[in-house]
Amino acid sequence: MVKIKFQNVRKVYNGTDVVDNLNLEVATGKFTVLIGPSGCGKTTTLKMVNRLVDPSAGEIFIEGKNISDLNPVDLRRRIGYVIQQIGLFPNMTIAQNIEVVPRLLHWPKQKRLDRTAELLSMVGMDPQQFMNRYPSELSGGQQQRIGVLRALAVEPPILLMDEPFGALDPITRESLQDEIKKLQMKLGVTVLFVTHDMDEAIKLADMIVLMREGQVEQAASPEKLLSDPVSDFVQEFIGKKHLPTNYDVESVWEIMNPNAVTIAKTKGINESIALMNKRNVDSLIIVDENRKLEGIVSVEEIRAAGRQESRIRRIGDLGIRQVPTINIHSQARDAFDLIVNENPRFIVAVDDEDIVYGIVTKTSLVKALAGVVWGDETDV
Amino acid sequence: MSDLPIFLQRNWGTFVNALGTHLKLSFSAVAIGICIAVPTGILLTRFPKAAKKVLAGVGVLQTVPSMVMFGLAMPLLGIGIRTALVVLIIYSILPILRNTYTGISEIPEKYIIAARGMGMNGFQMLMRVELPLAGSVIISGIQLSAVYIISWTTIAALVGAGGLGDLIYTGIMTYNYSMILLGAAPASILAVLTSLLIGWLARIATPRGLRM
Ligand SMILES: Nc1ncnc2c1ncn2[C@@H]1O[C@H](COP(=O)(O)OP(=O)(O)OP(=O)(O)O)[C@@H](O)[C@H]1O
Ligand SMILES: [Mg+2]
């Protein structure tokens, strides 16, 4: 089933085709992701769906109806919209922000209240605690959540999302991606989602639409896109994002333990000890605010620092030791070699930019081998 | 100075009268100024090209010294409170107009796109998003305007409108220093108090989310 159909759509700004003869079908109930370099026309394409921008030529249909025949204000109230910079109204409380569209549609007060509470609970935010706060009193990740809830308030059949998780740290970002994917599947909404992050696209999409200079370069499922890129441009775009392009059992990505215990270098000594106790480990991987590797520190070193009554407060100020690292795209065999030859307690798995993704230990190697010998139970 | 109490007693009636007129005149000028300038400012945000010209024109008007303005208005409108009111209204408009216009124009675009994208019509956007977000800028325009107008109302006595200016001019004519003070000091205090009052009202009317 087709929900949104673009037919020969063009948009011209100052004589240049920002969107150039776009033909695209967005399937009902599916998660479609628009991706491409900056300025290729993603936001413009999205805005044409709710008529914030009208095409210069061509037609857009929603469930067979030409949207240029519909009243834009009515149309927009039936399409959820998450803008590129969240845009929660700072003069309104969280509840008032979520209730914008319900109010426009004259929902009675009790119904609005119930819905707001339901939505907040859905993303694990306590309604009592958050309803009467203002956006400025929320963390970035919480604000992003509210931005999404606001768009979902009246259960619109279509949800447009423009880089909704743009400015978040990788960990918050991942958990929000999980949430939105779950919500989308549960509610059966048709989602048109813009990103420039290929990892995000692959994780979320049923269909990826890779755009280039206002045109569709390739529209395909993530698997198809990865295995069958139609052009060098697609290939390069995938490669540029440092994706593990082959999901062989043989890459480090596949065999590593993703639950590495990391700590930000700005954290205190006591917090570090508490974390070690809680996770039952004898060393911590120290990272910066972007989860980039700084080094490791062991429990002995922390204890020593504590005994010296030194003035060191931040864990990052302890003498940090370097650790062996391995790229997540490397062959698993390289990890074997490293562990066998140098016998380190563990190797840190990082990407090209030294971002920590996990660790490889003797245990993870044994598990990987066991998977090869007896079949991988986690995949069954 | 020992005869101050006697002086006050003798002139109390005149003073109260002058103060009343002064308040009435300033308040009316600012109130009418708001009624003209806020809607006009909103209208201008819908026509940004025309807005630049209109604001420039009103700006020029503002630079005409108030003495000259009163002098010009007298032959046209005669002597009395009406003339004073018209001139004061003209002066009250610019700060409010300019702040209404810039306050709304400078709202970050994301809020406008979000509001339109969620299906607000023009009026709903104005009431729920634009005015609340521009509110503090508009109010500081009103504050500025009120302070100006209270002090300029003293000049309105020149065209026979009365007010605290009357006491000042009478004092100057008769070399009566106490009389000058009786007009000048309350006018200044009034300006400061009004400014504080408006500032305080603005603060308590601001939702928590917009307070810094
Ligand atoms: N209102 C406008 N007037 C003129 N040009 C515009 C307008 N809106 C967008 N453009 C231009 O159209 C092109 C596509 O813009 P668009 O916002 O759709 O890109 P995008 O793919 O969303 O990029 P990004 O990833 O940076 O958000 C850009 O070159 C942009 O400068
Ligand atoms: Mg964009």
Side-chain angles (χ1 to χ4, degrees), chain B residues 96-174:
Chain B
I96 306 174
L97 183 68
R98 195 171 36 202
N99 280 32
T100 304
Y101 177 76
T102 48
I104 294 179
S105 315
E106 283 172 8
I107 294 173
E109 203 193 4
K110 59 181 175 180
Y111 301 128
I112 305 298
I113 296 178
R116 282 222 298 150
M118 284 193 290
M120 289 192 196
N121 61 33
F123 182 72
Q124 290 160 336
M125 202 149 92
L126 180 70
M127 300 309 285
R128 296 176 198 197
V129 179
E130 291 175 302
L131 285 181
L133 292 183
S136 67
V137 181
I138 297 175
I139 289 173
S140 70
I142 294 173
Q143 194 175 24
L144 193 66
S145 175
V147 172
Y148 279 147
I149 294 306
I150 287 172
S151 72
W152 284 337
T153 301
T154 54
I155 302 172
L158 276 182
V159 295
L164 293 169
D166 245 3
L167 305 182
I168 300 174
Y169 294 118
T170 311
I172 292 173
M173 303 297 188
T174 59

Side-chain angles (χ1 to χ4, degrees), chain A residues 42-43 84 162-163 194:
Chain A
K42 306 181 293 291
T43 297
Q84 200 161 351
D162 198 346
E163 302 197 29
V194 169

Side-chain angles (χ1 to χ4, degrees), chain A residues 76-77 88 91 132 134 137, chain B residues 111 116 119 124 132 208:
Chain A
R76 289 174 196 145
R77 290 177 188 174
L88 295 182
N91 55 315
N132 297 316
Y134 283 89
E137 298 164 336
Chain B
Y111 301 128
R116 282 222 298 150
Q124 290 160 336
R208 196 168 75 237

Side-chain angles (χ1 to χ4, degrees), chain A residues 13-14 18-19 36-45 47 53 84 162-163 194-196:
Chain A
Y13 279 125
N14 311 321
V18 167
V19 172
S38 187
C40 70
K42 306 181 293 291
T43 297
T44 307
T45 302
K47 281 182 173 172
V53 167
Q84 200 161 351
D162 198 346
E163 302 197 29
V194 169
T195 182
H196 58 248

